Amino acid sequence: MIEQLIAQGTAKAVSELYGLAMPEEQIQVQKTKKEFEGHFTVVVFPFLKASRKGPEQTATEIGGWLQANEPAVCGFNVIKGFLNLVISASFWIDTLNRVNADSEYGFTPVTENSPLVMIEYSSPNTNKPLHLGHVRNNLLGYSLARIMAACGNRVVKTNIVNDRGIHICKSMLAWQKWGNGETPESSGKKGDHLIGDYYVLFDKHFKEEVRSLLPADYDRLDAKAQEAAKARAEQESPLMREAHDMLVRWEAGDKEVRSLWAMMNEWVYAGFDETYKRLGVSFDKIYYESQTYLEGKAKVMEGLEKGLFFRKEDGSAWADLASDGLDRKLLLRSDGTSVYMTQDIGTAKLRFEDYPIDRMIYVVGNEQNYHFQVLSILLDRLGFKWGRDLVHFSYGMVELPNGRMKSREGTVVDADDLIEGMVETSRQTSAELGKLDGLDKAESDNIIRMIGLGALKYFILKVDARKNMTFNPEESIDFNGNTGPFIQYTHARICSILRKVAEEGITVPESLSADGLELSEKEISIIQQLVNFRQVVLQAGQDYNPSAIANYVYDLVKEFNQFYHDFSIMHEEDAARKLFRIVLTANVGKVVRLGMGLLGIEVPDRM
């Protein structure tokens, strides 16, 4: 990067001029403010003690040394203690040539010796379809996987399906009682939607049952007494007891329960696969809780034998985390059934047996922060050297303008409905604006799909993952502002320019000559942004931050659109300048495509 080059040159200058050995990382280099001439500014105050001169004279001496010894520096000016450096046009064109020469500029090649990073995301329950919260999870996880790969890591995308437990037993019991043999085929519903309906139905009947078990004077009780009465009624509920009994039978391997469980889960998996495909996410390895929880139970039993955990009088197994400043954590219930923590211990064990993982990243909402803090401690306590190093990529909740969603009440925003709604909104918006006039139906349908999903993905991924967010479908589909469609439209505009280049038979050189070519500040600004892409990608991987990519691409596109408005490309009369602008435009398009690809967003060639 040019900043590093300037820092290195400045370090040499102060060493030769003043005998000061200063590490280049301590030298302050920043972009020159717009009101001053220059591209980069060096702060010279740290050198005054060594120079024993005033700030202006010190800056002038360093600037003169850089101009004489660094080919990139063609001029400078001094404003008090700030040295403003002017970078030569030839340097900027050489920089553009380096970007142009690399079809995947900004990406670090992956080798067989690259670190292996496993990223877990999605983690659905098999009692309901994917919803808006899952959409954010999947988009963050898939984007993070692409970013980590672009940073030079081997990446394994993994999913853990929570396919057992009381939640699926509730759906199973409801289907047994009120399903009348209904199937996805007989109902015309996706399997995950069908099972989700029975989960909601169970909760409806459960609430009715609890109400019937409340004491007659419930409404006259105080709040504390009401809470206690409700807890007793829930505990006495025959329906909930049946669900718990079904879970115990499942863990005991009851053939009838296992057969029903397998059939209903297969319905759900088919539905999940369809949603994942539409959303454009995928996995390299899927684990199932039903296959990992026994591994977890075995590790808990091993921990009990070694005195790492303890049992209560009711037979339940616990971890005492007081030495880590935390409380006690349940690992096995009194009836021997496992909990999520047990399953996560088992899954982690299997994963590290399957892969030589260097880093394990869990993409899970921030309501599970405590869970992963505990998991890290327990894995470390059990002797897994990687336990303390696991990464919880914690993200905030996503809501709609009208508030939060509740699965049991059936008020969630279904992922399939959301995707379909975004595509339909894209269709209506494109028709109103006349964006796709003249295209055949197959091409326009594909572009409409790209726009709808691009709007959804970009709107979610541009927000810092750590923050809660409100998803507004109408705002996301806008063709202006910081949106996916605005970026996609700019890419299509660039492709249109490049088609005209081909139609005119213009041969675009692999490398531009800098002889006599003067560049505008806007053109230099775009080159600076292009060359920064590599650092943005690396920083996004280091910070686990897809939003950095999203906002970088938006800033690049915004800068290009201002350039496109103010400068001629195809009608430029000077041949050398025209070729330069064509190469500049092509590389903006390339970096936009690469950046959006890291977000899992397709960019159309025409709109």
Side-chain angles (χ1 to χ4, degrees):
M1 290 179 65
I2 180 62
E3 291 95 335
Q4 186 177 5
L5 183 68
I6 292 171
Q8 290 171 350
T10 303
K12 290 179 184 177
V14 297
S15 176
E16 290 194 16
L17 291 171
Y18 315 122
L20 174 64
M22 175 171 280
E24 60 186 70
E25 59 268 18
Q26 293 182 16
I27 295 174
Q28 300 176 54
V29 181
Q30 55 203 32
K31 285 188 177 181
T32 302
K33 294 181 179 179
K34 291 184 178 181
E35 59 265 31
F36 301 117
E37 179 189 1
H39 301 112
F40 292 96
T41 298
V42 177
V43 181
V44 303
F45 293 109
F47 317 136
L48 299 185
K49 186 175 181 180
S51 71
R52 297 182 180 180
K53 298 172 184 177
E56 289 85 355
Q57 186 177 353
T58 302
T60 300
E61 290 176 352
I62 294 172
W65 190 98
L66 289 171
Q67 187 171 353
N69 294 278
E70 289 292 344
V73 178
C74 65
F76 69 92
N77 63 84
V78 175
I79 307 292
K80 296 183 179 179
F82 299 93
L83 170 61
N84 301 322
L85 301 173
V86 179
I87 307 303
S88 66
S90 61
F91 175 86
W92 292 120
I93 292 173
D94 287 343
T95 299
L96 179 60
N97 284 335
R98 289 197 300 273
V99 175
N100 187 52
D102 189 346
S103 62
E104 291 195 331
Y105 176 78
F107 290 8
T108 303
V110 178
T111 70
E112 61 181 16
N113 296 319
S114 296
L116 190 146
V117 177
M118 178 175 278
I119 302 177
E120 175 195 293
Y121 58 96
S122 198
S123 307
N125 294 330
T126 54
N127 65 314
K128 56 190 175 185
L130 303 178
H131 56 62
L132 177 55
H134 290 113
V135 170
R136 190 179 198 192
N137 180 294
N138 279 278
L139 296 183
L140 286 170
Y142 187 72
S143 177
L144 185 62
R146 288 199 158 194
I147 291 169
M148 297 305 291
C151 290
N153 299 285
R154 291 178 294 150
V155 174
V156 176
K157 307 187 301 293
T158 186
N159 188 359
I160 174 68
V161 179
N162 297 308
D163 64 339
R164 57 161 292 283
I166 193 65
H167 59 279
I168 184 62
C169 289
K170 291 176 182 179
S171 295
M172 290 162 61
L173 187 61
W175 186 85
Q176 273 188 331
K177 289 180 172 293
W178 306 294
N180 298 314
E182 187 178 29
T183 67
E185 290 74 22
S186 69
S187 64
K189 295 179 180 178
K190 283 176 78 237
D192 51 336
H193 288 217
L194 180 66
I195 301 308
D197 289 345
Y198 283 101
Y199 182 68
V200 173
L201 186 61
F202 176 94
D203 192 62
K204 176 187 174 183
H205 283 278
F206 172 64
K207 285 180 177 178
E208 291 174 353
E209 195 170 75
V210 168
R211 279 195 294 269
S212 70
L213 295 171
L214 293 173
D217 62 346
Y218 176 80
D219 291 335
R220 294 192 296 274
L221 300 175
D222 60 34
K224 187 175 182 179
Q226 283 188 342
E227 184 178 346
K230 187 176 181 182
R232 282 195 302 273
E234 290 175 347
Q235 193 173 11
E236 295 168 1
S237 160
L239 198 57
M240 187 61 77
R241 285 181 178 175
E242 283 187 80
H244 277 289
D245 177 63
M246 181 176 280
L247 177 61
V248 173
R249 288 167 60 201
W250 184 94
E251 293 212 6
D254 183 284
K255 288 185 177 180
E256 181 183 348
V257 173
R258 286 285 180 130
S259 177
L260 174 62
W261 167 81
M263 178 183 72
M264 294 178 71
N265 275 348
E266 283 304 316
W267 296 347
V268 174
Y269 299 150
F272 284 171
D273 287 345
E274 188 177 331
T275 306
Y276 288 139
K277 185 176 180 180
R278 292 200 71 189
L279 200 55
V281 302
S282 60
F283 307 94
D284 302 307
K285 174 79 173 180
I286 297 180
Y287 292 86
Y288 298 89
E289 184 182 345
S290 58
Q291 299 168 355
T292 67
Y293 83 102
L294 288 177
E295 296 281 350
K297 289 179 75 171
K299 294 304 295 183
V300 171
M301 297 304 294
E302 179 184 314
L304 286 167
E305 292 174 7
K306 293 180 178 179
L308 301 174
F309 309 135
F310 70 95
R311 284 193 185 275
K312 287 190 175 182
E313 292 181 1
D314 63 0
S316 58
W318 294 74
D320 187 347
L321 305 172
S323 61
D324 293 281
L326 303 175
D327 56 12
R328 296 177 172 184
K329 183 66 179 178
L330 175 67
L331 300 178
L332 290 173
R333 298 186 185 94
S334 58
D335 60 8
T337 57
S338 58
V339 293
Y340 278 127
M341 188 62 71
T342 324
Q343 163 245 299
D344 277 341
I345 291 171
T347 306
K349 174 180 177 292
L350 289 179
R351 283 173 173 161
F352 280 85
E353 289 175 354
D354 292 342
Y355 296 93
I357 300 170
D358 295 294
R359 195 181 326 172
M360 180 71 219
I361 303 174
Y362 294 85
V363 181
V364 183
N366 57 18
E367 77 277 11
Q368 294 296 326
N369 285 352
Y370 180 77
H371 175 91
F372 284 97
Q373 185 182 4
V374 172
L375 177 63
S376 176
I377 294 169
L378 294 181
L379 291 175
D380 182 66
R381 188 177 291 185
L382 286 165
F384 297 113
K385 63 180 181 179
W386 34 263
R388 287 283 182 179
D389 296 327
L390 68 81
V391 177
H392 175 206
F393 178 67
S394 174
Y395 63 90
M397 296 297 97
V398 57
E399 303 174 359
L400 288 171
N402 59 353
R404 296 193 67 176
M405 305 173 291
K406 297 180 181 178
S407 298
R408 290 175 186 155
E409 297 176 11
T411 60
V412 300
V413 177
D414 178 76
D416 295 311
D417 291 343
L418 178 62
I419 293 169
E420 187 57 43
M422 291 302 299
V423 172
E424 183 55 35
T425 301
S426 168
R427 186 183 306 279
Q428 294 172 3
T429 304
S430 299
E432 291 170 5
L433 298 175
K435 294 285 185 187
L436 304 178
D437 292 348
L439 300 182
D440 63 47
K441 186 176 187 306
E443 188 173 13
S444 64
D445 282 350
N446 190 41
I447 292 172
I448 285 167
R449 178 192 61 80
M450 286 189 199
I451 296 171
L453 284 172
L456 169 65
K457 294 179 180 183
Y458 186 84
F459 196 91
I460 286 177
L461 292 174
K462 74 177 182 180
V463 178
D464 185 332
R466 293 166 295 185
K467 298 178 180 178
N468 289 348
M469 67 168 294
T470 300
F471 176 69
N472 189 316
E474 289 74 24
E475 286 183 18
S476 71
I477 208 76
D478 197 339
F479 279 81
N480 296 297
N482 191 3
T483 67
F486 172 69
I487 295 170
Q488 290 172 317
Y489 183 68
T490 302
H491 181 267
R493 167 180 280 170
I494 290 172
C495 290
S496 175
I497 293 169
L498 298 179
R499 284 193 292 271
K500 291 176 183 176
V501 171
E503 290 167 4
E504 291 188 14
I506 298 174
T507 301
V508 182
E510 292 184 5
S511 181
L512 292 164
S513 171
D515 292 344
L517 191 61
E518 294 184 4
L519 304 182
S520 69
E521 289 303 313
K522 182 62 68 177
E523 290 164 331
I524 290 172
S525 177
I526 292 175
I527 295 173
Q528 282 183 270
Q529 284 187 279
L530 287 174
V531 78
N532 284 344
F533 182 56
R534 183 187 302 278
Q535 185 58 36
V536 170
V537 172
L538 291 173
Q539 196 66 47
Q542 182 178 321
D543 298 340
Y544 311 119
N545 184 15
S547 69
I549 301 291
N551 289 291
Y552 164 85
V553 174
Y554 171 65
D555 288 340
L556 175 62
V557 162
K558 187 169 59 173
E559 192 80 356
F560 174 79
N561 279 309
Q562 291 173 358
F563 163 73
Y564 178 82
H565 180 269
D566 296 339
F567 295 86
S568 175
I569 299 175
M570 298 307 294
H571 294 107
E572 171 57 49
E573 295 182 358
D574 183 281
R577 185 171 287 111
K578 182 175 182 177
L579 274 180
F580 163 78
R581 289 177 180 170
I582 289 170
V583 172
L584 182 66
T585 298
N587 279 279
V588 170
K590 175 179 72 180
V591 171
V592 167
R593 185 171 62 256
L594 292 172
M596 293 293 268
L598 293 179
L599 303 176
I601 299 174
E602 299 172 89
V603 283
D605 293 340
R606 61 183 78 230
M607 278 172 68

